[in-house]
């Protein structure tokens, strides 16, 4: 702005200087031209008196390089001339000044040279005898005058321009200085500013207040968005229309093994899988798409949605959900359905087969009790299986059950008492000891957990073995430990014995009447009470299972 003001002042100064110079030159030229014309008239008057008195003799004595006197007859022939032989001159009757003098008594005219750099002024006067006396003088034109004064004019112009430049620079700085010192952070506090800027400063103050309010609101929304996305368990990635990452939350960075430096990069450099690329392309074309990817032992579902600004695609949002539990649950459901179908079908087929043999009279009278006993055994197994399935379904539903104070030692004694008959058949001794530990829980679930542990300890024990049940506390938890002297569990099976229908020895399990759901019920009952299970076993050395309930 300073340069613009400086240039403007310099242009104005130069224009004013040139205009002033032109006016002064014209005025002086006109003034001195008038003075010279008056002097020429006076000289003509003096010469006219002398010519009338002495005639051509006076003109012969006149010698002047500047002024020229010409005596002209009434018919235009030159009678005498002070600078040229009169006989060589042409007739002057047609000259303007001569014609005017003959008509009116006086005449004047000007004639310029071919270069326009010089002019000749003519003044003529009619004498008493009818002749005309003319005086002429050569004079410089304005162009010649300016050419002669070029050097001093240039010196004056240079000096004036230098002075104008210095003054223009100072003036421009003084004009701009208040503008540079404006406090735009506090527009209304500029007391030294130009009054003409008051409306602008008022508007700046209003706009600044509006911008500040908008920035505060934008920051608030940005902070809210950051807090929400930072704490999201789901991964969130925002992309622009070119597929470059605009934002990625911590969950997404963990999922794609990326860091904050990936912001601004193409998302395909972060995740190169074909499924994600296809989902992005489908979402940008159709508006929405999804894909499933596996990262380690986790499964994620990616929901890709196109973001539009008006009718123009502006980018995409990728939301990643951890669906491992749903996948596992679906897998377990399919396996459970298949296993239930198989487990229910086996005793039913045994019951139907025995019933058909009896119905068709193919069973001898002495074999009848054995077949009827088989039917009863399979039916009992079927009832037990259905009961366990119902119990697991109730635990899966996760509904709230009534809680009460439960004494673990009493529950353990009750479970042991119900199993003594089965244990005595295999000559297995059951012992219960420990301390009375009371906790608030669902008595029926706790009893079933302890009962199933003891039942397995009896079923998978050796002839003449033993089962010990011990209760107590351990680090803020109530504990029940069931130890047997049975066949034990190999290490490769210990991680799966709590799965539904999983059996280490299927032939032995069926022979003992097991359904394969006992330990699964134990696991669900303990999880319902937010407890934990510990297993210690080795083939041939027996098994100890400890369940912990928070006090």
């Amino acid at each position: 702005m300073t340069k613009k003001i400086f240039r403007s002042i310099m242009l104005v100064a130069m224009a004013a200087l040139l205009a002033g110079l032109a006016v002064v030159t014209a005025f002086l030229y006109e003034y001195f031209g008038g003075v010279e014309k008056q002097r020429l008239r006076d000289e003509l008057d003096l010469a006219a008196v002398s010519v009338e008195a002495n005639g051509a003799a006076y003109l012969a004595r006149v010698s002047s390089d500047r002024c020229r006197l010409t005596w002209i007859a009434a018919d235009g022939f030159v009678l005498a001339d002070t600078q040229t032989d009169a006989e060589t001159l042409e007739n002057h009757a047609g000259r303007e000044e001569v014609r005017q003098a003959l008509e009116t008594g006086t005449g004047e005219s000007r004639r310029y040279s071919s270069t326009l750099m010089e002019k000749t002024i003519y003044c003529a006067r009619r004498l008493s005898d009818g002749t005309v006396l003319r005086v002429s003088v050569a004079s410089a034109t304005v162009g010649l005058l300016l050419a002669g004064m070029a050097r001093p004019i240039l010196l004056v112009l240079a000096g004036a321009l230098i002075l104008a430049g210095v003054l223009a620079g100072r003036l421009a700085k003084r004009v701009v200085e208040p503008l540079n010192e404006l406090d735009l952070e506090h527009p209304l506090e500029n007391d030294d500013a130009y009054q003409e800027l008051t409306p602008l400063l008022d508007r700046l103050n209003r706009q600044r207040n509006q911008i500040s309010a908008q920035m505060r609101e934008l920051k608030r929304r940005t902070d809210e968005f950051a807090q929400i996305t930072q704490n999201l368990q789901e991964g969130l990635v925002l992309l622009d229309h070119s597929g470059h990452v605009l934002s990625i939350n911590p969950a997404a960075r963990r999922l794609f093994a990326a860091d904050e430096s990936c912001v601004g990069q193409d998302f395909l450099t972060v995740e190169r899988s074909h499924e994600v690329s296809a989902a992005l392309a489908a979402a940008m074309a159709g508006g929405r798409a999804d894909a499933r990817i596996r990262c380690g032992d986790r499964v994620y579902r990616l929901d890709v949605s196109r973001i539009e600004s008006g009718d123009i695609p502006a980018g995409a949002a990728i939301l990643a959900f951890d669906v491992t539990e749903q996948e596992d649950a679906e897998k377990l459901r399919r396996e459970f359905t298949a296993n239930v179908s198989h487990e229910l079908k086996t005793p039913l087929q045994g019951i139907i087969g025995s019933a058909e043999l009896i119905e068709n009279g193919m069973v001898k009278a002495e074999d009848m009790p054995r077949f009827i006993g088989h039917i009863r055994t399979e039916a009992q197994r079927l009832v037990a299986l259905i009961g366990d399935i119902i119990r697991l379904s109730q635990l899966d539903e996760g509904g709230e059950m009534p809680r009460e104070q439960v004494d673990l030692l009493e529950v353990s004694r009750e479970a042991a008492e119900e199993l003594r008959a089965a244990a005595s058949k295999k000559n297995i001794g059951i012992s219960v000891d420990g301390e009375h530990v009371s906790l608030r829980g669902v008595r029926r679930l706790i009893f079933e957990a302890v009962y199933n542990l003891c039942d397995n300890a009896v079923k998978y024990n050796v002839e003449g073995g033993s089962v010990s049940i011990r209760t107590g506390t351990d680090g803020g938890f109530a504990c029940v430990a069931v130890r047997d002297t049975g066949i034990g569990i190999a290490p490769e099976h210990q991680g799966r014995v709590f799965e539904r229908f999983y059996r280490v020895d299927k032939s032995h399990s069926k022979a003992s009447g097991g359904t394969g759901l006992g330990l699964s019920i134990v696991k669900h009952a303990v999880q319902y009470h937010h407890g934990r299970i510990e297993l210690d076993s080795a083939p041939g050395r027996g098994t100890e299972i400890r369940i912990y309930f928070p006090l």
Side-chain angles (χ1 to χ4, degrees), residues 10 51 58 130 198 213 226 391 396 441 505 544:
M10 286 297 295
V51 168
Y58 169 74
T198 300
R391 179 68 62 230
D396 286 338
D505 186 350
E544 181 178 359

Side-chain angles (χ1 to χ4, degrees), residues 10 13-14 16-22 24-25 146 148-165:
M10 286 297 295
M14 186 179 296
L17 183 62
L18 293 176
L21 183 62
V24 170
T25 301
L146 291 177
M149 295 177 62
R151 185 173 182 181
I153 288 176
L154 290 177
L155 291 176
V156 171
L157 283 175
L161 289 177
I162 292 173
L163 180 61

Side-chain angles (χ1 to χ4, degrees), residues 419-428 463:
L419 289 169
R420 287 194 187 277
S424 62
K425 292 181 180 181
K426 298 178 65 175
N427 197 23
I428 296 173
E463 187 75 22

Side-chain angles (χ1 to χ4, degrees), residues 232-245:
L232 272 178
Q233 296 300 317
E234 295 77 14
L236 176 62
V237 183
L238 299 180
L239 308 178
D240 63 11
H241 66 282
S242 300
H244 292 83
V245 179

Side-chain angles (χ1 to χ4, degrees), residues 99-115:
R99 190 173 61 253
Q100 291 178 0
L102 291 174
E103 293 176 356
T104 62
T106 59
E108 295 178 359
S109 69
R110 296 179 184 181
R111 285 191 283 278
Y112 293 89
S113 65
S114 60
T115 61

